[in-house]
Amino acid sequence: FLIWASKMKTVSDLQQNKDGLRAGYHCGYCDSVAGKASCGMWAHSMTVQDYQDLIDRGWRRSGRYVYKPVMNQTCCPQYTIRCRSLQFQPSKSHKKVLKKMLKFLAKGEISKGNCEDEPMEPSMEDAVAGDVALINKLDLQCDLKKLGDNLKESLEREVKKKGKSTKKEESNEFIQSQDKNEELGSGEPSHAVDVHTAPKPGKGADLSKPPCRKAKEIRKERKRLKLMQQSPAGGPEGFQAPREPKTKPNQPKSLEELIFESLPEDASHKLEVRVVRSSPPSSQFKATMLESYQVYKRYQMVIHNHSPDEPTVSQFTGFLCTSPLEPENPPNGPDCGYGSFHQQYWLDGKIIAVGVIDILPYCVSSVYLYYDPDYSFLSLGVYSALREIAFTRQLHEKASQLSYYYMGFYIHSCPKMRYKGHYRPSDLLCPETYVWVPIEQCLPSLENSKYCRFNQDPEAADEGRSRDPDRLQVLYKKAILPYGVFKQQQREPGEEAAVLQYASLVGQACSERMLLFRN
């Protein structure tokens, strides 16, 4: 592999399996032996804008490997899902998880009964099954020699005045303490296609309707209406309409108020969330990588039944540490910059969970989560997602365009993987026109068919489709050529079909910015 690129370009190598398609291999969602189908490529260097545009066309990365499910062929269609974080309101079950964490931190209480967490994604290896051997051909090794000599650097938090967000930056990294209090800005999300369909009865809660009100509120409303109906003037004789309260009624607590609720001085536990850059690895990341790896190893053994020999350090770094994303720190971007990070959850001085995330121009993209199985009772899958939504809202204060939380793929055909639809409001990506459609309007169609086109306008097309493949950029013998020039020099069978497929999958804009490596 040739690993070379200008800093302003993305270099990728289309996987050479016939026409780039990989089909008939194991699915980690439905356990089908040969039902999965996807296209993929190795991305050696990628700008954050290129990756933002790719995930908005249904792509997703695993380490340096970037893949896109073939939606109309794969056994479990995987729809890109995003949460509109600025409008997000935690559900009753979300609040229970947050209260459970606060009780544990404050008093050491461990909730009794069923502490089952939301189901997790299949192991990262399942996402790119069959490609593990190829990973060793890339430069994925971290410098482990010096890790044992590095001391853990202490990060202290600084509390600012009440109502303002608290953060400390050290080497462009953040630490979020449990008693931190934030005040978030506002912003409007980009438009989504409005598709009017009614949910089917008998299929669970109607997500298009507002949540139920408390019985007490309903009784008061009925009484007020009854009294008003007794008199033409709007109320019975001798009845004095209640005065409007001087202050607004109690509003439900925000996500930040629930997360960062103050703890007593004698709290039983202390939780800190540290955001460290994983690629290129920062000094804090290097100092904690071995500890993080041990947590991942225990997670895979207990949760995914892997043998004690798996995963190796090389596999761990290949899937969860290395990234093709080039770090960027523009003045109008978030303080930590853009790129790939690990969000480490430190409980009483040790790592208990790690969220792998990408910070992109318009979103925080969740890549993976792993945690110490001893702390499963804290529902860390739900808790980390809520923390990442709050983190997205925090970043929005500095970078106004960054307002979405991408949760990876939503898989409706796999019931245990539908939990991502509980983070509302959220949208699904139409697999044919690549526009966002509110999930409530997609669910009726998904009940009838695994694969659906969500955009119901029959005239609508993919606006970003490849219109002029000859302008696609190729990296060949250390030279950058338009594909129109390159194809005149090549007569390899199947070459043109593979390149045209690549162009159709990445779209015109990315095909002109990115460099497709050919040998």
Side-chain angles (χ1 to χ4, degrees), residues 218-398:
I218 296 175
R219 288 197 298 270
K220 284 184 178 180
E221 180 69 10
R222 286 176 179 170
K223 183 176 180 180
R224 187 181 69 83
L225 293 174
K226 184 177 180 181
L227 290 171
M228 292 182 68
Q229 290 171 357
Q230 291 175 1
S231 169
E237 290 184 10
F239 173 75
Q240 185 177 0
R243 294 180 180 179
E244 289 294 327
K246 293 182 180 180
T247 59
K248 292 182 179 180
N250 291 334
Q251 297 293 327
K253 288 185 177 181
S254 69
L255 175 63
E256 289 71 28
E257 289 173 327
L258 292 167
I259 291 176
F260 302 115
E261 186 172 321
S262 297
L263 295 173
E265 292 183 2
D266 60 345
S268 299
H269 301 284
K270 181 180 180 181
L271 178 69
E272 294 176 339
V273 179
R274 304 177 185 177
V275 181
V276 298
R277 186 178 286 279
S278 57
S279 180
S282 66
S283 58
Q284 288 90 344
F285 178 82
K286 289 181 179 180
T288 58
M289 202 201 77
L290 286 180
E291 183 176 354
S292 181
Y293 164 64
Q294 293 300 328
V295 174
Y296 178 64
K297 193 170 184 178
R298 278 183 45 75
Y299 171 78
Q300 291 290 8
M301 287 174 59
V302 176
I303 304 299
H304 291 294
N305 300 315
H306 281 207
S307 70
D309 298 331
E310 295 180 330
T312 64
V313 173
S314 176
Q315 290 172 333
F316 169 69
T317 57
F319 287 119
L320 299 175
C321 302
T322 56
S323 167
L325 301 185
E326 294 291 336
E328 296 181 21
N329 291 85
N332 60 342
D335 292 337
C336 60
Y338 297 110
S340 297
F341 298 83
H342 278 196
Q343 197 166 43
Q344 302 173 336
Y345 293 78
W346 289 77
L347 181 68
D348 302 332
K350 72 173 184 177
I351 298 176
I352 64 166
V354 176
V356 183
I357 60 173
D358 292 328
I359 300 179
L360 304 175
Y362 307 131
C363 73
V364 169
S365 175
S366 176
V367 180
Y368 200 65
L369 172 80
Y370 57 94
Y371 57 85
D372 187 335
D374 289 345
Y375 295 91
S376 295
F377 64 88
L378 291 174
S379 301
L380 292 171
V382 181
Y383 183 77
S384 65
L386 297 173
R387 289 294 297 243
E388 288 172 5
I389 292 173
F391 183 52
T392 304
R393 289 155 63 143
Q394 177 189 345
L395 297 179
H396 170 77
E397 293 181 353
K398 180 68 184 296

Side-chain angles (χ1 to χ4, degrees), residues 497-513:
V499 173
L500 291 179
Q501 184 191 43
Y502 160 82
S504 68
L505 294 174
V506 304
Q508 186 68 35
C510 279
S511 72
E512 291 186 32
R513 291 198 309 256

Side-chain angles (χ1 to χ4, degrees), residues 50-115:
D50 284 339
Y51 186 54
Q52 175 74 68
D53 290 348
L54 285 180
I55 63 174
D56 284 337
R57 293 183 65 84
W59 291 82
R60 187 157 169 79
R61 78 171 185 89
S62 173
R64 294 181 186 270
Y65 186 71
V66 187
Y67 63 99
K68 185 181 188 302
V70 181
M71 300 290 281
N72 59 355
Q73 295 184 31
T74 192
C75 54
C76 295
Q78 300 157 256
Y79 299 92
T80 302
I81 182 172
R82 72 177 186 186
C83 172
R84 285 172 256 155
S85 66
L86 303 185
Q87 291 78 36
F88 172 79
Q89 291 293 334
S91 67
K92 187 175 180 180
S93 62
H94 294 154
K95 292 177 182 178
K96 285 183 178 180
V97 170
L98 295 175
K99 290 177 181 178
K100 178 167 57 177
M101 175 64 80
L102 288 172
K103 287 181 180 179
F104 173 72
L105 296 176
K107 303 178 182 179
E109 292 183 9
I110 298 177
S111 299
K112 297 180 181 179
N114 185 13
C115 295

Side-chain angles (χ1 to χ4, degrees), residues 152-164:
K152 296 178 182 177
E153 301 182 22
S154 61
L155 298 176
E156 299 177 353
R157 63 180 178 82
E158 219 175 315
V159 180
K160 295 184 180 178
K161 61 182 180 179
K162 187 177 180 181
K164 297 292 182 181

